[in-house]
Amino acid sequence: MKTLLVFDFDHTIIDENSDTWVVRCTPENKLPHWLRKSYQGKGWNEYMGRVLGYIGAQGINESKMKQVMEAIPYTPGMVNLLQFICQNKDFFDCIIISDSNTVFIDWILKATESGVSFNRIFSNPAGFDDQGHLTLQSFHSHDCSQCPDNLCKKKVLLDFVDDQFKAGVRYSRTIYIGDGGNDVCPTVGLKTFDIVMPRKGYRLEKQLHKMVSEDIDSIQPSVIVWSSGEEILSHLRKYANT
């Protein structure tokens, strides 16, 4: 049986937040005050829809936006890690679950030819309308009270594993690699034979540390903290017999 690798995208595969990086394509490399103030701590996906609408209204075309997004830096060691995964698909299935969007992820992965590492990419659907403006949709609806309305990563992961099981694919373990607060929910759903790998110094690590210190028994998987793709690669080698 293979190992299932689950990656977040922003601040995990890439070393920035793609949603905030895109602002670099605006004339002044920043958003107007009224637009920034329109985000009040909830509804980030809806807010990003407004941001993309503003960018389109500034006459910024697809080519310019793509050029900016292709320049986003990868997390150190991550390209080598993805190449290793691609070369060892007999041992790994690999998916992305991200609250970014499909267009950004596609552009960024293609810039380093890293997209072939992944079996599936789950993110908010995006595309260009007749005016050449990038528009954004919610990935799905769900009943999880802990997650944003547009995406529950735990539901996505469980649905994927269930679909794979129905297709005759079973995994010996799941390794979840992420950094943020919206990675906590899927982590709680992992089992004792699974592994969660939070990025050092980021919210997921801090939240897991708090939960462990408070002796919350909902954390079943092993926890391995990482700072670079090379550290993750070192751990994965044991599952590829290399």
Side-chain angles (χ1 to χ4, degrees):
M1 291 190 293
K2 292 183 179 182
T3 292
L4 175 62
L5 305 176
V6 184
F7 282 85
D8 175 45
F9 190 70
D10 294 320
H11 290 297
T12 299
I13 291 175
I14 57 173
D15 210 14
E16 295 282 348
N17 184 325
S18 56
D19 281 348
T20 55
W21 183 272
V22 73
V23 175
R24 294 172 181 240
C25 69
T26 61
E28 297 182 353
N29 292 332
K30 64 180 182 180
L31 300 174
H33 178 73
W34 64 264
L35 181 51
R36 297 196 308 271
K37 292 292 289 183
S38 72
Y39 178 65
Q40 299 294 323
K42 291 187 67 176
W44 178 262
N45 203 51
E46 291 79 3
Y47 167 71
M48 280 306 303
R50 296 191 294 273
V51 169
L52 295 175
Y54 171 80
I55 290 173
Q58 304 310 299
I60 298 161
N61 61 25
E62 178 179 347
S63 177
K64 170 63 175 177
M65 192 181 300
K66 181 180 180 183
Q67 181 182 24
V68 168
M69 298 309 294
E70 288 177 336
I72 199 166
Y74 278 67
T75 298
M78 194 59 65
V79 173
N80 288 340
L81 170 61
L82 297 181
Q83 290 174 346
F84 170 82
I85 294 168
C86 184
Q87 294 163 2
N88 289 276
K89 295 298 288 182
D90 288 343
F91 303 100
F92 302 111
D93 278 352
C94 189
I95 65 174
I96 290 174
I97 308 177
S98 168
D99 203 11
S100 179
N101 69 73
T102 55
V103 168
F104 286 176
I105 294 175
D106 182 60
W107 281 344
I108 294 165
L109 291 180
K110 283 184 176 178
T112 58
E113 299 182 349
S114 296
V116 291
S117 303
F118 299 97
N119 298 76
R120 293 284 302 276
I121 296 173
F122 301 95
S123 190
N124 300 300
F128 288 88
D129 63 18
D130 293 340
Q131 295 178 300
H133 297 177
L134 185 60
T135 62
L136 190 61
Q137 302 176 44
S138 296
F139 179 78
H140 63 185
S141 59
H142 59 84
D143 298 323
C144 178
S145 61
Q146 300 179 45
C147 292
D149 292 342
N150 63 294
L151 178 64
C152 172
K153 292 188 175 185
K154 180 179 179 180
K155 176 174 172 52
V156 175
L157 176 56
L158 292 177
D159 286 350
F160 174 79
V161 171
D162 185 55
D163 287 344
Q164 290 291 87
F165 183 83
K166 291 175 181 176
V169 179
R170 293 164 177 78
Y171 296 111
S172 57
R173 69 189 60 81
T174 295
I175 300 178
Y176 191 99
I177 304 160
D179 74 283
N182 63 356
D183 295 313
V184 174
C185 183
T187 293
V188 171
L190 298 179
K191 307 302 182 183
T192 54
F193 47 81
D194 296 325
I195 299 167
V196 56
M197 302 188 73
R199 189 174 183 182
K200 185 176 182 179
Y202 285 73
R203 186 174 176 184
L204 177 59
E205 185 209 6
K206 296 173 182 177
Q207 190 69 23
L208 291 176
H209 178 77
K210 179 181 179 183
M211 295 171 76
V212 170
S213 65
E214 294 175 352
D215 197 27
I216 297 177
D217 60 6
S218 58
I219 299 299
Q220 299 184 47
S222 300
V223 178
I224 301 174
V225 179
W226 64 277
S227 296
S228 73
E230 296 295 345
E231 293 176 359
I232 301 172
L233 174 55
S234 177
H235 181 77
L236 293 187
R237 286 189 185 278
K238 69 181 71 173
Y239 302 118
N241 297 328
T242 60

